[in-house]
Coordinates of all heavy atoms in Angstrom, one line a residue:
M1 N -17.6 -24.1 27.1 CA -17.3 -22.8 27.7 C -16.1 -22.2 27.1 O -16.0 -21.0 26.9 CB -17.0 -23.0 29.2 CG -18.3 -22.9 30.1 SD -19.5 -21.7 29.5 CE -19.0 -20.3 30.4
K2 N -15.1 -23.1 26.7 CA -13.9 -22.6 26.0 C -14.3 -21.7 24.8 O -13.7 -20.7 24.5 CB -13.0 -23.7 25.6 CG -11.8 -23.8 26.5 CD -10.8 -24.8 25.9 CE -9.6 -24.9 26.8 NZ -8.8 -26.1 26.6
K3 N -15.2 -22.3 24.1 CA -15.6 -21.6 22.8 C -16.2 -20.2 23.0 O -15.9 -19.3 22.3 CB -16.7 -22.5 22.1 CG -16.3 -22.9 20.7 CD -17.4 -23.7 20.0 CE -16.8 -24.4 18.8 NZ -17.7 -25.4 18.3
V4 N -17.0 -20.2 24.1 CA -17.6 -18.9 24.4 C -16.5 -17.8 24.7 O -16.6 -16.7 24.3 CB -18.6 -19.0 25.6 CG1 -19.1 -17.6 26.0 CG2 -19.7 -19.9 25.3
G5 N -15.5 -18.3 25.5 CA -14.4 -17.4 25.8 C -13.7 -16.9 24.5 O -13.4 -15.7 24.4
A6 N -13.5 -17.8 23.6 CA -12.8 -17.5 22.4 C -13.6 -16.5 21.6 O -13.0 -15.5 21.0 CB -12.5 -18.7 21.6
I7 N -14.9 -16.7 21.6 CA -15.8 -15.7 20.8 C -15.7 -14.4 21.5 O -15.6 -13.3 20.8 CB -17.2 -16.3 20.7 CG1 -17.2 -17.5 19.8 CG2 -18.2 -15.2 20.2 CD1 -18.5 -18.3 19.9
L8 N -15.7 -14.3 22.8 CA -15.7 -13.0 23.5 C -14.4 -12.3 23.2 O -14.4 -11.1 22.9 CB -15.9 -13.3 25.0 CG -17.3 -13.5 25.5 CD1 -17.3 -13.7 27.0 CD2 -18.1 -12.2 25.1
V9 N -13.3 -13.0 23.3 CA -12.0 -12.4 23.1 C -11.9 -11.9 21.6 O -11.5 -10.8 21.4 CB -10.8 -13.4 23.4 CG1 -9.5 -12.9 22.9 CG2 -10.8 -13.7 24.9
G10 N -12.4 -12.7 20.7 CA -12.4 -12.4 19.3 C -13.2 -11.1 19.1 O -12.8 -10.2 18.4
G11 N -14.3 -11.0 19.7 CA -15.2 -9.9 19.5 C -14.6 -8.6 20.1 O -14.6 -7.6 19.5
A12 N -13.9 -8.8 21.2 CA -13.3 -7.6 21.8 C -12.1 -7.1 20.9 O -12.0 -5.9 20.8 CB -12.7 -8.0 23.2
L13 N -11.4 -8.0 20.4 CA -10.3 -7.6 19.5 C -10.8 -6.9 18.3 O -10.3 -5.9 17.9 CB -9.5 -8.9 19.0 CG -8.5 -9.4 20.0 CD1 -7.9 -10.7 19.5 CD2 -7.4 -8.4 20.3
L14 N -11.9 -7.4 17.7 CA -12.5 -6.8 16.5 C -13.0 -5.4 16.9 O -12.7 -4.5 16.1 CB -13.7 -7.7 16.1 CG -14.2 -7.4 14.7 CD1 -13.1 -7.9 13.7 CD2 -15.5 -8.1 14.4
L15 N -13.6 -5.3 18.0 CA -14.1 -4.0 18.4 C -13.0 -2.9 18.6 O -13.1 -1.8 18.1 CB -14.9 -4.1 19.7 CG -16.4 -4.1 19.7 CD1 -17.0 -4.3 21.0 CD2 -16.9 -2.7 19.1
S16 N -11.9 -3.4 19.2 CA -10.9 -2.4 19.4 C -10.2 -2.0 18.1 O -9.7 -0.9 18.0 CB -9.8 -3.0 20.4 OG -9.2 -4.1 19.9
A17 N -10.2 -2.9 17.2 CA -9.6 -2.6 15.8 C -10.5 -1.6 15.1 O -10.0 -0.7 14.5 CB -9.5 -3.9 15.0
V18 N -11.8 -1.8 15.2 CA -12.7 -0.9 14.5 C -12.7 0.5 15.1 O -12.7 1.5 14.4 CB -14.2 -1.5 14.5 CG1 -15.2 -0.4 14.1 CG2 -14.2 -2.7 13.7
S19 N -12.6 0.6 16.5 CA -12.7 1.9 17.1 C -11.3 2.5 17.2 O -11.1 3.5 17.8 CB -13.3 1.8 18.5 OG -12.5 0.9 19.3
G20 N -10.3 1.9 16.5 CA -8.9 2.4 16.6 C -8.6 3.6 15.7 O -7.5 3.9 15.4
W21 N -9.6 4.3 15.2 CA -9.4 5.4 14.3 C -8.7 6.5 15.0 O -7.9 7.2 14.3 CB -10.7 5.8 13.7 CG -11.7 6.3 14.6 CD1 -12.6 5.6 15.3 CD2 -11.8 7.7 15.1 NE1 -13.3 6.4 16.1 CE2 -12.8 7.7 16.1 CE3 -11.1 8.9 14.9 CZ2 -13.2 8.8 16.7 CZ3 -11.5 10.0 15.5 CH2 -12.5 10.0 16.5
A22 N -8.9 6.8 16.2 CA -8.2 7.8 17.0 C -7.0 7.0 17.6 O -7.2 6.2 18.5 CB -9.0 8.5 18.0
I23 N -5.8 7.3 17.2 CA -4.7 6.5 17.7 C -4.2 7.1 19.0 O -3.5 8.2 19.0 CB -3.6 6.4 16.6 CG1 -4.2 5.9 15.3 CG2 -2.4 5.5 17.1 CD1 -3.4 6.1 14.1
E24 N -4.5 6.5 20.1 CA -4.2 7.0 21.4 C -2.7 7.4 21.6 O -2.5 8.5 22.1 CB -4.5 5.9 22.5 CG -6.0 5.7 22.7 CD -6.7 6.9 23.2 OE1 -6.0 7.7 24.0 OE2 -7.8 7.1 22.8
S25 N -1.8 6.6 21.1 CA -0.4 6.9 21.3 C 0.0 8.2 20.6 O 1.1 8.8 21.0 CB 0.5 5.7 20.9 OG 0.3 5.4 19.5
C26 N -0.7 8.6 19.6 CA -0.3 9.9 18.9 C -1.1 11.0 19.5 O -0.6 12.1 19.7 CB -0.7 9.8 17.4 SG -0.2 8.3 16.6
V27 N -2.4 10.8 19.8 CA -3.3 11.9 20.3 C -2.8 12.4 21.7 O -3.0 13.5 22.0 CB -4.7 11.4 20.4 CG1 -5.6 12.4 21.0 CG2 -5.2 11.1 18.9
K28 N -2.1 11.5 22.4 CA -1.6 11.8 23.7 C -0.8 13.1 23.6 O -0.8 13.9 24.5 CB -0.6 10.6 24.1 CG -0.5 10.4 25.6 CD 0.1 9.0 25.9 CE 1.5 8.9 25.3 NZ 2.1 7.6 25.5
C29 N 0.0 13.2 22.6 CA 0.9 14.4 22.4 C 0.3 15.4 21.4 O 0.3 16.6 21.6 CB 2.3 14.1 22.0 SG 3.3 13.3 23.2
H30 N -0.3 14.9 20.3 CA -0.7 15.7 19.2 C -2.1 16.3 19.4 O -2.6 16.9 18.5 CB -0.6 15.0 17.9 CG 0.9 14.8 17.5 ND1 1.7 15.8 17.1 CD2 1.7 13.7 17.5 CE1 2.9 15.4 16.8 NE2 2.9 14.1 17.1
K31 N -2.8 15.9 20.5 CA -4.1 16.4 20.8 C -5.3 15.9 19.9 O -6.3 15.5 20.4 CB -4.2 17.9 20.9 CG -3.2 18.5 21.9 CD -3.6 18.2 23.3 CE -2.7 19.0 24.3 NZ -1.4 18.4 24.5
S32 N -5.1 16.0 18.6 CA -6.2 15.5 17.7 C -5.6 14.8 16.5 O -4.5 15.0 16.1 CB -7.1 16.7 17.3 OG -6.4 17.4 16.3
M33 N -6.5 13.9 15.9 CA -6.0 13.2 14.7 C -5.9 14.2 13.6 O -5.1 13.9 12.6 CB -7.0 12.1 14.4 CG -6.8 10.8 15.3 SD -5.1 10.3 15.5 CE -4.7 9.6 13.9
D34 N -6.6 15.3 13.6 CA -6.5 16.3 12.5 C -5.1 16.8 12.4 O -4.5 17.0 11.4 CB -7.5 17.4 12.7 CG -8.9 17.0 12.3 OD1 -9.0 16.0 11.6 OD2 -9.9 17.7 12.6
K35 N -4.6 17.1 13.6 CA -3.2 17.6 13.7 C -2.2 16.6 13.2 O -1.3 16.9 12.5 CB -3.0 18.0 15.2 CG -1.6 18.6 15.5 CD -1.7 20.1 15.1 CE -0.3 20.6 15.0 NZ -0.1 21.7 14.1
V36 N -2.4 15.3 13.6 CA -1.5 14.2 13.2 C -1.6 14.2 11.7 O -0.5 14.0 11.0 CB -1.9 12.9 13.8 CG1 -1.1 11.8 13.2 CG2 -1.7 13.0 15.3
K37 N -2.8 14.2 11.1 CA -3.0 14.2 9.7 C -2.1 15.2 9.0 O -1.5 15.0 8.0 CB -4.4 14.4 9.3 CG -5.2 13.1 8.9 CD -6.6 13.5 8.5 CE -7.5 12.4 8.8 NZ -8.9 12.6 8.3
E38 N -2.2 16.5 9.5 CA -1.5 17.6 8.9 C 0.0 17.3 8.9 O 0.7 17.5 7.9 CB -1.7 18.8 9.8 CG -2.7 19.8 9.3 CD -2.9 20.9 10.3 OE1 -1.9 21.5 10.8 OE2 -4.1 21.2 10.6
L39 N 0.5 16.8 10.0 CA 1.9 16.6 10.2 C 2.4 15.4 9.2 O 3.4 15.5 8.6 CB 2.3 16.2 11.6 CG 2.3 17.3 12.6 CD1 2.3 16.8 14.0 CD2 3.5 18.3 12.4
V40 N 1.5 14.4 9.1 CA 1.8 13.3 8.2 C 1.9 13.8 6.8 O 2.8 13.5 6.1 CB 0.8 12.2 8.4 CG1 0.9 11.1 7.2 CG2 0.9 11.5 9.7
K41 N 0.9 14.6 6.4 CA 0.9 15.2 5.0 C 2.2 16.0 4.8 O 2.8 15.9 3.7 CB -0.3 16.0 4.8 CG -1.6 15.2 4.8 CD -2.4 15.5 3.6 CE -3.5 14.5 3.3 NZ -4.7 14.7 4.2
A42 N 2.6 16.8 5.8 CA 3.8 17.6 5.7 C 5.1 16.8 5.5 O 6.0 17.4 4.9 CB 3.9 18.5 6.9
T43 N 5.1 15.6 5.9 CA 6.3 14.8 5.7 C 6.5 14.4 4.3 O 7.6 14.1 3.8 CB 6.4 13.5 6.6 OG1 5.3 12.7 6.2 CG2 6.3 13.8 8.1
G44 N 5.4 14.4 3.5 CA 5.4 13.9 2.1 C 5.6 12.4 2.0 O 5.9 12.0 0.9
A45 N 5.4 11.7 3.0 CA 5.5 10.2 3.0 C 4.5 9.6 2.0 O 3.4 10.0 2.0 CB 5.4 9.6 4.4
K46 N 5.0 8.7 1.2 CA 4.1 8.1 0.2 C 3.6 6.7 0.5 O 2.8 6.2 -0.1 CB 4.8 8.1 -1.2 CG 5.0 9.5 -1.7 CD 5.4 9.5 -3.1 CE 5.5 11.0 -3.6 NZ 6.3 11.8 -2.7
S47 N 4.2 6.2 1.6 CA 3.7 4.9 2.1 C 3.9 4.8 3.6 O 4.6 5.7 4.2 CB 4.5 3.8 1.4 OG 5.9 3.8 1.9
A48 N 3.3 3.8 4.2 CA 3.4 3.6 5.6 C 4.8 3.5 6.0 O 5.3 4.0 7.1 CB 2.5 2.4 6.1
D49 N 5.6 2.7 5.3 CA 7.0 2.5 5.6 C 7.8 3.8 5.5 O 8.7 4.1 6.3 CB 7.6 1.4 4.7 CG 7.1 0.0 5.0 OD1 6.9 -0.2 6.2 OD2 6.9 -0.8 4.1
D50 N 7.4 4.6 4.5 CA 8.0 5.9 4.3 C 7.8 6.8 5.5 O 8.8 7.5 6.0 CB 7.3 6.6 3.1 CG 8.2 6.8 1.9 OD1 9.2 6.1 1.9 OD2 7.8 7.7 1.1
L51 N 6.6 6.7 6.1 CA 6.3 7.5 7.2 C 7.1 7.1 8.5 O 7.6 7.9 9.2 CB 4.8 7.5 7.5 CG 4.4 8.4 8.7 CD1 4.7 9.9 8.4 CD2 2.9 8.2 9.0
V52 N 7.2 5.8 8.6 CA 8.0 5.2 9.7 C 9.4 5.8 9.6 O 10.0 6.3 10.6 CB 8.0 3.7 9.7 CG1 9.0 3.1 10.8 CG2 6.6 3.1 10.0
K53 N 10.0 5.7 8.4 CA 11.4 6.2 8.2 C 11.5 7.7 8.5 O 12.4 8.2 9.1 CB 11.8 5.9 6.8 CG 12.5 4.6 6.6 CD 13.0 4.5 5.2 CE 12.8 3.1 4.7 NZ 12.6 3.0 3.2
A54 N 10.5 8.5 8.0 CA 10.5 9.9 8.2 C 10.5 10.3 9.7 O 11.2 11.1 10.1 CB 9.3 10.5 7.5
I55 N 9.6 9.6 10.4 CA 9.5 9.9 11.9 C 10.7 9.4 12.6 O 11.3 10.1 13.5 CB 8.2 9.3 12.4 CG1 7.0 10.1 11.8 CG2 8.2 9.4 13.9 CD1 5.7 9.6 12.3
R56 N 11.2 8.1 12.3 CA 12.4 7.6 13.0 C 13.6 8.4 12.7 O 14.5 8.5 13.6 CB 12.6 6.1 12.5 CG 11.4 5.2 12.9 CD 11.5 4.8 14.3 NE 10.3 4.0 14.7 CZ 9.5 4.2 15.7 NH1 9.8 5.2 16.5 NH2 8.5 3.4 15.9
G57 N 13.7 9.0 11.5 CA 14.9 9.8 11.2 C 14.7 11.3 11.3 O 15.5 12.0 10.9
G58 N 13.5 11.7 11.7 CA 13.1 13.1 11.8 C 13.8 13.8 13.0 O 14.4 13.2 13.8
K59 N 13.6 15.1 13.0 CA 14.2 15.9 14.1 C 13.6 15.6 15.5 O 14.2 15.9 16.5 CB 14.2 17.4 13.8 CG 12.8 17.9 13.3 CD 13.0 19.3 12.8 CE 11.7 20.0 12.4 NZ 10.8 19.2 11.6
K60 N 12.4 15.0 15.4 CA 11.7 14.7 16.7 C 11.8 13.2 17.0 O 10.9 12.6 17.7 CB 10.3 15.1 16.7 CG 10.1 16.6 16.5 CD 10.5 17.4 17.7 CE 10.2 18.9 17.6 NZ 11.3 19.7 17.9
A61 N 12.7 12.5 16.4 CA 12.8 11.0 16.5 C 12.8 10.6 18.0 O 12.2 9.6 18.4 CB 14.1 10.5 15.8
A62 N 13.5 11.4 18.8 CA 13.6 11.0 20.3 C 12.2 11.0 20.9 O 11.9 10.1 21.7 CB 14.5 12.0 21.0
L63 N 11.4 11.9 20.5 CA 10.0 11.9 21.1 C 9.2 10.8 20.6 O 8.2 10.4 21.3 CB 9.3 13.2 20.6 CG 9.7 14.5 21.4 CD1 9.1 15.7 20.7 CD2 9.3 14.4 22.8
H64 N 9.5 10.2 19.5 CA 8.7 9.1 18.9 C 9.3 7.7 19.2 O 8.8 6.7 18.7 CB 8.5 9.3 17.4 CG 7.8 10.6 17.1 ND1 8.4 11.7 16.7 CD2 6.4 10.8 17.2 CE1 7.5 12.7 16.5 NE2 6.3 12.2 16.8
K65 N 10.3 7.7 20.1 CA 10.9 6.4 20.4 C 9.9 5.4 21.0 O 10.0 4.2 20.7 CB 12.0 6.6 21.4 CG 13.4 6.5 20.7 CD 14.5 6.3 21.8 CE 15.8 6.5 21.1 NZ 16.6 7.5 21.8
A66 N 9.0 5.9 21.8 CA 8.1 5.0 22.5 C 6.9 4.6 21.6 O 6.1 3.7 22.0 CB 7.6 5.7 23.8
V67 N 6.7 5.2 20.5 CA 5.5 4.9 19.7 C 5.9 3.7 18.8 O 7.0 3.5 18.3 CB 5.0 6.0 18.8 CG1 4.5 7.2 19.7 CG2 5.9 6.5 17.8
K68 N 4.9 2.8 18.6 CA 5.1 1.6 17.8 C 5.0 1.9 16.3 O 4.2 2.7 15.9 CB 4.1 0.6 18.2 CG 4.3 0.0 19.6 CD 3.3 -1.1 19.9 CE 2.1 -0.5 20.6 NZ 0.9 -1.1 20.8
D69 N 5.8 1.1 15.5 CA 5.7 1.2 14.1 C 4.3 1.0 13.6 O 3.8 1.7 12.7 CB 6.6 0.1 13.4 CG 8.1 0.5 13.4 OD1 8.4 1.5 14.1 OD2 8.9 -0.3 12.8
E70 N 3.7 0.1 14.3 CA 2.3 -0.3 13.9 C 1.4 0.9 14.0 O 0.5 1.1 13.2 CB 1.9 -1.3 15.0 CG 0.7 -2.1 14.8 CD 0.3 -2.9 16.1 OE1 1.2 -3.6 16.6 OE2 -0.8 -2.7 16.6
D71 N 1.6 1.7 15.1 CA 0.7 2.9 15.2 C 1.1 4.0 14.2 O 0.2 4.7 13.7 CB 0.9 3.5 16.7 CG 0.2 2.7 17.7 OD1 -0.6 1.8 17.3 OD2 0.5 2.8 18.9
I72 N 2.3 4.1 13.8 CA 2.7 5.1 12.8 C 2.0 4.7 11.5 O 1.5 5.5 10.7 CB 4.2 5.1 12.6 CG1 4.9 5.7 13.9 CG2 4.6 6.0 11.4 CD1 6.4 5.7 13.9
K73 N 2.0 3.3 11.2 CA 1.4 2.9 10.0 C -0.1 3.1 10.0 O -0.7 3.4 8.9 CB 1.7 1.4 9.8 CG 3.2 1.2 9.4 CD 3.6 -0.3 9.2 CE 5.1 -0.4 9.0 NZ 5.6 -1.8 8.9
K74 N -0.7 2.9 11.1 CA -2.1 3.2 11.3 C -2.4 4.7 11.0 O -3.4 5.0 10.3 CB -2.6 2.9 12.7 CG -3.3 1.5 12.8 CD -4.0 1.4 14.1 CE -3.5 0.3 15.0 NZ -3.8 0.4 16.4
A75 N -1.5 5.5 11.5 CA -1.7 7.0 11.3 C -1.6 7.3 9.8 O -2.3 8.1 9.3 CB -0.6 7.7 12.1
F76 N -0.7 6.6 9.1 CA -0.6 6.9 7.7 C -1.9 6.5 7.0 O -2.4 7.2 6.1 CB 0.6 6.1 7.1 CG 0.7 6.3 5.6 CD1 1.4 7.5 5.1 CD2 0.2 5.5 4.7 CE1 1.5 7.7 3.8 CE2 0.3 5.7 3.3 CZ 0.9 6.8 2.8
A77 N -2.4 5.3 7.3 CA -3.7 4.9 6.7 C -4.8 5.9 7.0 O -5.6 6.2 6.1 CB -4.0 3.5 7.2
E78 N -4.8 6.4 8.2 CA -5.8 7.4 8.6 C -5.6 8.7 7.8 O -6.6 9.2 7.3 CB -5.6 7.6 10.1 CG -6.7 8.4 10.7 CD -8.1 7.7 10.5 OE1 -8.2 6.5 10.5 OE2 -9.0 8.5 10.2
A79 N -4.4 9.1 7.7 CA -4.1 10.4 7.0 C -4.4 10.4 5.5 O -4.6 11.4 4.9 CB -2.7 10.8 7.3
S80 N -4.3 9.2 4.9 CA -4.4 9.1 3.5 C -5.8 8.8 3.0 O -6.1 8.6 1.9 CB -3.4 8.1 2.9 OG -3.4 6.9 3.6
K81 N -6.8 8.9 4.0 CA -8.2 8.6 3.6 C -8.7 9.8 2.9 O -8.4 11.0 3.2 CB -9.0 8.4 4.9 CG -9.1 6.9 5.2 CD -9.9 6.7 6.5 CE -9.6 5.3 7.0 NZ -10.0 5.2 8.4
Ligands
LIG1 C1 5.9 12.2 23.3 C2 5.0 13.1 22.5 C3 4.7 12.6 21.1 C4 4.1 11.4 20.7 C5 3.6 10.3 21.6 C6 3.9 11.5 19.3 N1 4.4 12.6 18.8 FE1 4.6 13.2 16.8 N2 5.6 14.9 17.4 C7 5.7 15.4 18.7 C8 6.3 16.7 18.6 C9 6.5 17.6 19.8 C10 6.5 17.0 17.3 C11 7.0 18.3 16.7 C12 6.1 19.0 15.7 C13 4.8 19.6 16.3 O1 4.0 19.0 16.9 O2 4.7 20.8 16.2 C14 6.1 15.9 16.5 C15 6.1 15.7 15.1 C16 5.6 14.7 14.4 C17 5.6 14.7 12.9 C18 6.3 15.6 12.0 C19 7.6 15.0 11.5 C20 8.7 15.1 12.4 O3 9.4 14.1 12.6 O4 8.9 16.2 13.0 C21 4.8 13.6 12.6 C22 4.5 13.1 11.1 C23 4.4 13.0 13.8 N3 4.8 13.7 14.9 C24 3.5 11.9 13.8 C25 3.2 11.2 15.0 C26 2.4 9.9 15.0 C27 1.9 9.3 13.8 C28 2.4 9.5 16.3 C29 1.7 8.3 16.9 C30 2.1 7.0 16.3 C31 3.1 10.5 17.1 N4 3.6 11.5 16.3 C32 3.3 10.5 18.5 C33 5.4 14.6 19.8 C34 4.9 13.4 19.9

């Protein structure tokens, strides 16, 4: 039974990773991923770490305090597609 549980948990994790294209923590404020893409492009960030720095040091840094680095990096990956 333990094995079945592990497989279920693994499957759920995999599914959430695949459907993670719309990043909830950004869309909450930015409404759509298209808008996020535009903003990401406008920062001129060339890497995921660049984008984290741009947002953390940007004029809206306070608004982005609650967002995870991980989500910002995901947004970069999404925007550079
Ligand atoms: C609490 C609300 C909020 C959340 C959550 C949020 N943003 Fe923002 N963000 C804003 C606002 C407001 C601006 C100002 C620009 C605008 O939307 O016109 C902004 C601006 C930006 C900018 C432009 C650069 C800058 O610093 O001004 C980028 C890039 C950005 N957001 C990316 C993201 C990403 C990626 C996420 C998810 C990981 C995210 N934001 C989550 C509110 C938010």
Side-chain angles (χ1 to χ4, degrees):
M1 275 319 271
K2 251 190 181 160
K3 236 183 195 163
V4 176
I7 291 168
L8 279 179
V9 170
L13 281 177
L14 196 72
L15 256 177
S16 67
V18 169
S19 60
W21 62 270
I23 306 161
E24 286 300 324
S25 62
C26 313
V27 173
K28 210 166 57 183
C29 289
H30 290 289
K31 302 288 190 282
S32 77
M33 282 315 286
D34 282 348
K35 186 77 196 151
V36 174
K37 256 187 211 182
E38 257 173 51
L39 287 165
V40 169
K41 290 230 165 84
T43 63
K46 292 193 175 51
S47 70
D49 288 325
D50 248 18
L51 184 62
V52 173
K53 269 187 220 151
I55 290 178
R56 296 282 175 232
K59 47 191 188 307
K60 299 288 186 232
L63 281 170
H64 296 101
K65 257 199 192 124
V67 302
K68 289 183 267 170
D69 282 8
E70 194 191 308
D71 285 346
I72 294 176
K73 287 178 185 174
K74 260 194 238 162
F76 180 82
E78 190 55 40
S80 44
K81 264 180 202 163

